[in-house]
Structure formats: structure tokens, C-alpha cells
Amino acid sequence: MKLSTKCLLTTLGAAAAAGTAFAVQRGANQRRQQLNSETGMELKEYRMINGIQQYLVHRTENDELPVLLVLHGGPGESAIPTRYLAQRDWEKYFTVVNWDQRLCGKTLQINADKQTELAATVTLEQLIEDTREICDYLRAKYYQDKIFILGHSWGSVLGSMFARQYPDRVRAYVGVGQVVNMRRNEELGYQKVLQKARIAGADHDVQTLLALTPYPTAEFGQEMMDKMMTVRRLQRKYCLASPITLKDLWQMATTPDVSLNELPVYFKMDFQIQLPLLKELMDFNLEALDSHYAVPVYYLLGDHDWQTPYPIAEEYFAKIEAVRKQLMLIPNAGHNTMIDQPEYFLNALRMVLLA
């Protein structure tokens, strides 16, 4: 009984210490995100966008600054919980707007009663039209003819297609973790992690990867999704893809942008409801389209990114025809380029603004 009491007290003490550390870190994160009390602006809102309520977060030091709409990755991985890790300094130069897309985050939460219907009908074209409506709302709200679009990973698919389809609304397109040809991405990413495993002499990992062939599969379904999750796990092991560590989970949990009772919305990832978009993504291929863009195009790529392999984006970028274009390869940065190297990334964004 004494031992049980001692264990209980130890457990309670550890829980109390963890709770204190959590509160201290969350408070520190909130203080670092404070905006100028006279000119700063933060707005968290739901807007009716193409028939459903969708969640937006606006932040800036001055709402007369150029608008930058951030299109998150996934599909389904909101940037809002980790926004604070990189975007605070962006707000000195832009009015930064983050959006939880359909089937994601608080947009999915508020439309939970329509989840089945939305999951069955969501398409890339639908999300392009959502982006258009949000873009038009932001242009009117901030009295700007055009806005900047930043697309990360899956968001680079959405952003590229939006910029091509609606160039009259786009001041410049910025691609990060740029997807060009998803099948080529998966093929090259697979070969890279297989090479790393062989160099490391990790026979078990080599055999695990070889057992996945053919990779990628001809059709995208549950089999391919399972294979992709295995490849991502091993890519993370060999530092080729975005990590999922205790530090990453702690950073999400102590975000100043999401209340404690809202956190489960962002921790829960249901890839099944993203299946239609993942199928479209697997067949996505910018190389099959003409290479002309009617807007300035910038690629900010991490030189350690093999989740969306940067050499493919470099190769495609060389073929792009645009009024202005620039590729910046950011050193020692992976797929989450802006978080891996926030200062480099900020300087690159400032160059986009000044160009």
C-alpha cells in the first residue's frame, strides 16, 4: 500500500510539473505573438464560402500591408496550430491569412454534420473555387486589387492551379515544397530513401521498401495509401521528410492560436475523408500543361526536401515562362522549409515582396 501511495504521489507530481511546463510554454508563446497594440490586427472568423462556413485567421502589424493567403498542405493538415513557429515576422510585411480548407480543422468541425457529403464531393476544382471566393473577399476587405498566394506541399497544387486559372487576382505565386508531378515525386522519394537505407546497412528497412514494389501503384487506393505511409515513416527516419517527434507534438499542443478544447480537431487526421483529393493529387502533373504563367512565380525550396523532391521542382522551374520568376534554394531545410529555416525563409519572402 505504501508503495502504491508513493507511486501515485510520484505520478501526480509528474503530472503537475508537466501541467506547469505546459502553461508556462503556452504563455510564453502567446506573449511572443502579441501584435502592436496601436496598429496590429488579429481576426479569427468563419465565412460562408461556397455554401459552407470556413475558418480564417488574419494577422498583421498593419492591415494596409499586402495580403498573403497561405494554402496549407496535406490535404487536411492545417497550418494554423504551427503558424506561430514561423509567421510572426511575416506579419511585419504582410497581412497574413491562414485558412482551414474543406475537410480540415475548424472548417471540418463546424460542418461535421455534412462530413460524409463533403468527403464524397470535394475536388481540386471545388477548392480552387473556394480559394477564388476567399481571394475576392480579401481583395475587397483590404482594398487590394491582387494578393500574394503561398502554397505549401498540397497547397502548392492548389496555389499553382489557382494562379494559372485566376491570374488577374494574384500579385505573385510562391511555391514551397512544390509539387510538380506527384508520381515522379513518389518514385524519386522512394529511390532516395532506399539508397539511404542501403548506405546505412539497414537490411530490415531495405527489405521493407523492396516489399512495397511496385511503387507507386498504378491506381490510388487503400493499398497505395498504406504503402505511402510506410515510405513516409522511413523517410522521416532518414531525415528526408517532415518529422513527427515529441517536440513537434509539444509545439502543436502549446500553440497560442488554438484553445485546449479545440486541439483534438487538429490532432485528429482522417485520411479516409481525404481519399478523393489524394486520388487527384496522385495524378497531378504540371509538366503536362503549358509552362506559361501570367503572374510572377517564386519557388522557395528546402535543399533537404525529398518528400516533394526539390530536384523535380528545380527542373520544372527552369521551363517556366513568367513575367518574373526566381527560385531560392534554402540551405539545411526540409519539407517544412519555413519552420526549419525561419530567418532564411523570411528574407526570401521579403525579396518576393520587393521584386
Side-chain angles (χ1 to χ4, degrees):
M1 180 64 71
K2 290 182 179 179
L3 182 60
S4 297
T5 302
K6 182 178 180 180
C7 289
L8 177 60
L9 291 174
T10 300
T11 301
L12 290 173
T20 299
F22 177 86
V24 168
Q25 186 63 61
R26 192 175 178 90
N29 291 340
Q30 288 173 332
R31 288 190 294 275
R32 282 195 289 269
Q33 296 302 302
Q34 288 180 350
L35 295 162
N36 185 298
S37 59
E38 295 183 0
T39 62
M41 184 275 292
E42 178 180 81
L43 171 64
K44 299 179 179 181
E45 63 169 343
Y46 288 97
R47 293 285 303 180
M48 183 62 74
I49 303 295
N50 286 325
I52 65 169
Q53 295 286 341
Q54 304 204 36
Y55 185 65
L56 301 170
V57 176
H58 315 229
R59 279 180 56 94
T60 185
E61 284 288 358
N62 185 327
D63 65 8
E64 295 183 358
L65 292 171
V67 173
L68 174 69
L69 175 61
V70 179
L71 305 179
H72 65 68
E77 294 181 3
S78 171
I80 288 174
T82 54
R83 177 209 61 77
Y84 77 100
L85 297 172
Q87 293 184 22
R88 177 62 187 89
D89 285 336
W90 304 3
E91 296 156 6
K92 299 173 184 176
Y93 305 96
F94 298 91
T95 295
V96 183
V97 181
N98 282 271
W99 160 41
D100 281 352
Q101 299 165 18
R102 286 176 185 253
L103 305 181
C104 179
K106 294 178 75 172
T107 296
L108 177 60
Q109 181 188 42
I110 201 171
N111 294 288
D113 60 330
K114 305 174 185 174
Q115 177 174 316
T116 302
E117 175 190 347
L118 294 177
T121 59
V122 69
T123 62
L124 172 58
E125 191 58 39
Q126 173 69 74
L127 283 164
I128 290 172
E129 289 307 303
D130 286 354
T131 306
R132 179 194 57 76
E133 193 159 320
I134 290 170
C135 184
D136 287 349
Y137 161 60
L138 296 176
R139 291 164 62 220
K141 178 176 177 59
Y142 294 107
Y143 304 101
Q144 297 182 20
D145 289 338
K146 298 182 179 183
I147 70 171
F148 289 91
I149 300 291
L150 185 152
H152 177 228
S153 195
W154 151 258
S156 74
V157 172
L158 179 55
S160 295
M161 297 307 292
F162 179 77
R164 294 174 64 90
Q165 196 163 325
Y166 294 107
D168 57 312
R169 293 163 166 86
V170 180
R171 184 165 167 183
Y173 167 67
V174 182
V176 186
Q178 179 68 45
V179 177
V180 172
N181 180 325
M182 192 61 187
R183 287 193 173 275
R184 284 189 65 200
N185 277 6
E186 290 305 311
E187 290 167 359
L188 186 56
Y190 172 85
Q191 292 299 329
K192 185 69 175 180
V193 71
L194 180 59
Q195 177 191 51
K196 285 277 191 178
R198 282 173 168 157
I199 291 172
D203 292 340
H204 178 72
D205 291 344
V206 170
Q207 293 307 313
T208 297
L209 287 164
L210 290 176
L212 299 179
T213 56
Y215 187 89
T217 57
E219 299 293 330
F220 188 92
Q222 189 60 51
E223 178 189 5
M224 180 56 196
M225 187 180 292
D226 292 341
K227 288 183 176 184
M228 189 181 293
M229 293 302 102
T230 300
V231 170
R232 291 291 181 271
R233 174 175 60 81
L234 291 171
Q235 285 176 329
R236 287 193 292 270
K237 178 178 178 178
Y238 292 98
C239 302
L240 300 173
S242 301
I244 302 176
T245 65
L246 288 176
K247 178 183 177 182
D248 299 310
L249 296 175
W250 177 258
Q251 288 172 333
M252 280 191 68
T254 57
T255 175
D257 291 305
V258 182
S259 66
L260 291 179
N261 66 326
E262 292 170 338
L263 276 175
V265 173
Y266 291 101
F267 276 105
K268 181 182 178 182
M269 283 292 297
D270 185 351
F271 288 106
Q272 288 298 324
I273 65 172
Q274 304 292 343
L275 196 56
L277 283 177
L278 288 167
K279 287 179 177 179
E280 279 199 88
L281 178 58
M282 186 53 65
D283 292 327
F284 181 75
N285 182 10
L286 280 174
E287 295 171 312
L289 307 176
D290 72 81
S291 58
H292 176 73
Y293 287 75
V295 304
V297 177
Y298 299 86
Y299 281 5
L300 311 186
L301 309 177
D303 70 352
H304 290 0
D305 184 2
W306 291 92
Q307 186 168 331
T308 50
Y310 73 90
I312 296 176
E314 282 186 313
E315 178 186 324
Y316 171 73
F317 187 84
K319 302 173 185 175
I320 287 177
E321 301 170 3
V323 290
R324 189 166 59 254
K325 69 174 189 174
Q326 186 171 359
L327 184 149
M328 288 166 263
L329 196 60
I330 297 179
N332 300 313
H335 190 59
N336 286 332
T337 317
M338 62 283 283
I339 294 175
D340 293 342
Q341 291 285 8
E343 290 187 15
Y344 270 103
F345 195 91
L346 173 65
N347 289 334
L349 264 189
R350 292 180 64 191
M351 289 177 65
V352 171
L353 181 61
L354 297 173

